[in-house]
Amino acid sequence: MKRIIIEGNRTLNGKIKISGAKNSAVALIPATILSDEPVIINNVPNISDIDALITILKFLNAKVIRKDNSLIIDSSKIENKEIPEDISKKLRASYYFMSSILGKYKKVNMYFPGGCNIGKRPIDQTLKAFKNLGSVIEEKDNKYNIYAEKLIGSEIILDMPSVGATINAIFASVKADGKTIIKNAAQEPEIDNVIEMINKMGGDVKRENGTTIIINGVKSLHGTTIDVIPDRIEAGTYIIIGALIGKDLTIENIIPKHIESLLLKLKEANVKYELKKNSIVLNKSDKLKPVNIETKGYPGFATDLQQPFTVLLTQCDGVSYLTENIYENRFNNVSYLNKMGANIEIIDKTIKIDGKTSLKGTTVVATDLRAGACMVIAALIASGTTIIEDIDHVLRGYEDIIKKLETVGAKIIKEEI
Ligand code: EPU
């Protein structure tokens, strides 16, 4: 287990460059299975979730070359083997192999995927999509045997706009016979990055009216080159840091449209920022005002940013309410923030944050990826020294987070225990 020790209360100044989006890259990599030729993916973040996906590709006998932030993946001659449970359990995105292997071979055996411990994360919508396309699904002991004589284009109406189910439905239908219509599809930009790649490989996928995606099945897909879009959640995390302790802290390589809902809330909280074409400059804002937030699917306020944003709410003068609508248990950060001096109460799926409270360094735990990011922000603004245990969770999703923060003036020590 790794832990980091952060000396807080330092002003951060300089530039931080945003990496490729984790949640895009983790879908683009399994999508290469659908191609009959090598695919080049650029701007892939160097994080442990990507390592896990490469392990799966290599297990399936794909050829993978990794150079800096680029991957050349030749999945044309993979073996359709059952991925061991200990590997697929490492991350949620392993289930994108379920749909890409099914889409290519009409048959897949796979275990239930893993992912952060933030509440129940069923895959019923993905399974419904597979069934609609003509698959038969047998489930036993956490394992799914899925096969189809033929995948046939169909209408798929999702109960909720699930990111994973939308991507899985695309992968399973891209080579199906005929037309598939996904209704109530998720609108996250990472999905459009996936659609861009599939179309560059010769697929025929388009989004209509935001929440409808139409896929016309094609016989085969070929190689291409694709860039991973910048990570809007990583960007949001550093932007929040800039609003709390920045001095002309510049966050580069952002797509402003992807962070609109965050910027609106920052404005409401009285955060001053200067937005440019692909970057944003932040300064520590005094007199932060309380704001109320509800997490929603894109373009609403991202659930993945609510835990980082909670730190900012502890510094607002007055009471803020934050409601988590996507996950049932994404408040593991709250007890540790309270241990540092915050005044936060959990009321069902809402937290009440009574600010402003000064935070003091202590020992806390990164219980999951975004809770960990929350603890890093809290430690950076706290007085004294904070020890964050289980920092591996954060390293799963933030490329070079320690180096990026040190470059702008943070004091962080990493320890292996
Ligand atoms: N849901 C169902 N049934 C399903 C699918 C989803 O009930 O079949 C529920 C889930 O339980 C959850 C909600 O719908 O309560 C949203 O789930 P969704 O499928 O949209 O999420 P996901 O695809 O599992 C991705 C990201 C998450 C991010 C969500 C929402 C990846 C690998 N993960 O998860 O990212 O929170 O979309 O935007 O892309 C993170 O990066 O920290 C993270 C957890």
Side-chain angles (χ1 to χ4, degrees), residues 59-76:
F59 170 82
L60 297 171
N61 283 344
K63 292 195 190 102
V64 185
I65 300 171
R66 191 176 192 178
K67 193 165 178 287
D68 302 324
N69 287 96
S70 291
L71 285 175
I72 305 173
I73 304 171
D74 184 352
S75 299
S76 57

Side-chain angles (χ1 to χ4, degrees), residues 138-151:
E138 289 161 7
E139 186 201 341
K140 198 171 170 235
D141 300 334
N142 232 8
K143 195 171 97 184
Y144 297 85
N145 297 331
I146 307 169
Y147 54 93
E149 234 162 71
K150 243 183 176 194
L151 290 167

